[in-house]
Amino acid sequence: MTETGNSKESKDYNLEKDCELRFEIESKSQIKVELKSGFAELYGTELVKSKKYTFYQGAKVAIFTYQGCVINISGSPDVCYIARETPMIQYLNTHSAIEQMRVNAEERETCGPKVMIVGPTDVGKSTLCKILLNYAVRLGHRPILSDLDVGQGNISIPGTIASLLIERPASIEEGFFSQLAPLVIHYGHKTPDFNNELYKICISTLADITLERLNEDKRTLSSGIIINTCGWVKGQGYQHLLHAAKEFKVDVILVLDQERLYNELLRDVDAGCKVVFLPKSGGVVERSQQTRAESRDQRIREYFYGVPLRSPLYPHSIDIKFSDLKLYKIGAPVLPDSCMPLGMKATDNMTKLWPIQPGPSLIHHVLALSFAENPEQDVLKKNVIGFVCVTNVDVERQTITVLSPQPRPLPNVVLLLSELQFIDSH
């Protein structure tokens, strides 16, 4: 394993087989990566030889080779090293076992494997999801990715859970994209513990819609589901994992890095569900609360404005009259049982729809557009069309101004309030 180069700005890294080149970009610079010879992949997506890939601030990259390769890096990443110790062989073996389950399901015309990946925060759950999905689509499968992590929002924006049909390997620079829109369920908070009752309903709703989606196509049915989860694995968080496993009818649970969680799941899940322990990658980086907050803000910004230089978007500013809005919040503070109407439990308040009167406090809040045509429909069981962000409230004119991905009119006027905020600095 050697690195060569004529200048500090451009280096060739010679990787032996089963090695990984890891680098991070913390400063406001960009790095160009080129595969000069051999074969390499980024989280299961193959790099094209002689093509230059650009990475920007915040990127944490691990390029792996099974056979050996030479990679050129132009620029100065803040961290860059070659690692021999990597769990990629174990991840490949896991993929092979899942692939055999898909082959069996295809032969029998039954449902393919439903795999849930669990573990504490910052152990590489999202990365392992990406690797397994990329390996699957490279073999011609069409699996579904379900993301239950409301804190980061890998498919949609934070504060939601979602499912997406994966039809092709992830782009090296931009990640997964699909010709079909994702199924998105509004939760409205960045942590499950803010409203446990609502989070459970959201999981059940997404599971029902996703399992129904599996049956629409034979290839998708046999391909199965890969489920990403949040890093809350103790107390009520553990109960959410058991609930998700039951609702999605999970066949395999992959536990990253925590033997205690592995043994608890062995004890508590159904006998038909396999629980497998896997190590985390040495390249996984623990993120601070500030980093997580910045990541959430970036995800919302990309929803409205896209990725600068690569795929920019141009949102619209729309004025909406108060009288045209049907604005609601899901959940209210839990009251003592003695204050509740006869027959109602205190937790029922947490899933009730409450009308909201527009006012200045709405500014910067993200609103979800529900597919429900009116509040009398079961809004909790409906997925959402998209999102807008309130940029101004004019009490005198009785209007709010929203940032919208599409021009007027909005597809629906049943809007759900989210606690997440986005300050539009454009």
Side-chain angles (χ1 to χ4, degrees), residues 14-286:
N14 298 308
L15 278 70
E16 298 172 3
K17 68 174 186 175
D18 300 338
C19 286
E20 205 165 56
L21 177 63
R22 299 170 182 163
F23 67 85
E24 300 173 27
I25 310 172
E26 297 171 1
S27 54
K28 291 184 178 180
S29 59
Q30 63 181 43
I31 304 296
K32 290 189 180 296
V33 174
E34 179 185 357
L35 175 64
K36 299 187 77 173
S37 66
F39 298 90
E41 60 182 45
L42 177 65
Y43 309 135
T45 301
E46 291 184 288
L47 273 68
V48 177
K49 202 172 294 182
S50 300
K51 180 178 178 179
K52 291 187 177 181
Y53 300 96
T54 305
F55 298 91
Y56 298 89
Q57 182 184 13
K60 295 176 176 60
V61 178
I63 297 173
F64 181 80
T65 177
Y66 286 106
Q67 299 167 316
C69 68
V70 176
I71 294 173
N72 176 267
I73 290 187
S74 298
S76 301
D78 298 275
V79 177
C80 188
Y81 63 96
I82 296 173
R84 285 191 68 90
E85 297 296 325
T86 167
M88 281 298 294
I89 299 300
Q90 288 159 282
Y91 294 170
L92 178 64
N93 291 337
T94 302
H95 157 71
S96 298
I98 295 171
E99 175 60 20
Q100 189 56 53
M101 295 174 73
R102 291 193 183 102
V103 171
N104 293 339
E106 201 168 9
E107 290 174 352
R108 299 169 185 166
E109 296 187 355
T110 55
C111 186
K114 297 176 285 293
V115 181
M116 188 166 78
I117 299 173
V118 304
T121 55
D122 299 326
V123 293
K125 296 186 295 295
S126 299
T127 298
L128 180 55
C129 278
K130 191 179 289 187
I131 291 168
L132 296 177
L133 289 163
N134 279 327
Y135 284 167
V137 293
R138 281 167 62 180
L139 292 175
H141 300 295
R142 298 173 81 231
I144 290 177
L145 167 62
S146 291
D147 183 27
L148 308 183
D149 185 358
V150 295
Q152 295 303 307
N154 291 308
I155 295 176
S156 182
I157 67 170
T160 65
I161 61 176
S163 288
L164 177 69
L165 178 66
I166 306 299
E167 304 167 289
R168 65 198 74 175
S171 162
I172 292 290
E173 297 167 326
E174 297 181 32
F176 285 115
F177 58 91
S178 175
Q179 294 175 335
L180 302 175
L183 292 164
V184 182
I185 304 297
H186 168 80
Y187 170 66
H189 310 281
K190 58 190 176 186
T191 56
D193 62 337
F194 192 92
N195 191 334
N196 285 306
E197 293 302 314
L198 176 59
Y199 185 63
K200 283 175 65 178
I201 291 174
C202 289
I203 289 175
S204 299
T205 301
L206 185 66
D208 289 344
I209 299 173
T210 304
L211 292 173
E212 192 176 318
R213 174 68 184 85
L214 273 181
N215 294 311
E216 290 181 8
D217 179 81
K218 281 187 178 181
R219 191 147 60 105
T220 302
L221 179 65
S222 62
S223 298
I225 310 172
I226 303 290
I227 305 162
N228 187 32
T229 59
C230 66
W232 186 25
V233 297
K234 295 180 180 178
Q236 186 61 49
Y238 179 70
Q239 296 304 316
H240 287 318
L241 294 180
L242 293 178
H243 177 69
K246 181 181 178 183
E247 293 297 294
F248 277 92
K249 302 174 184 176
V250 167
D251 307 303
V252 180
I253 300 178
L254 304 178
V255 184
L256 283 175
D257 193 50
Q258 194 174 91
E259 290 191 13
R260 174 183 171 179
L261 178 61
Y262 166 72
N263 284 290
E264 286 176 340
L265 288 167
L266 275 178
R267 178 194 67 204
D268 293 333
V269 299
D270 294 338
C273 180
K274 299 175 185 176
V275 184
V276 180
F277 181 81
L278 290 172
K280 70 174 181 179
S281 169
V284 170
V285 179
E286 191 169 331

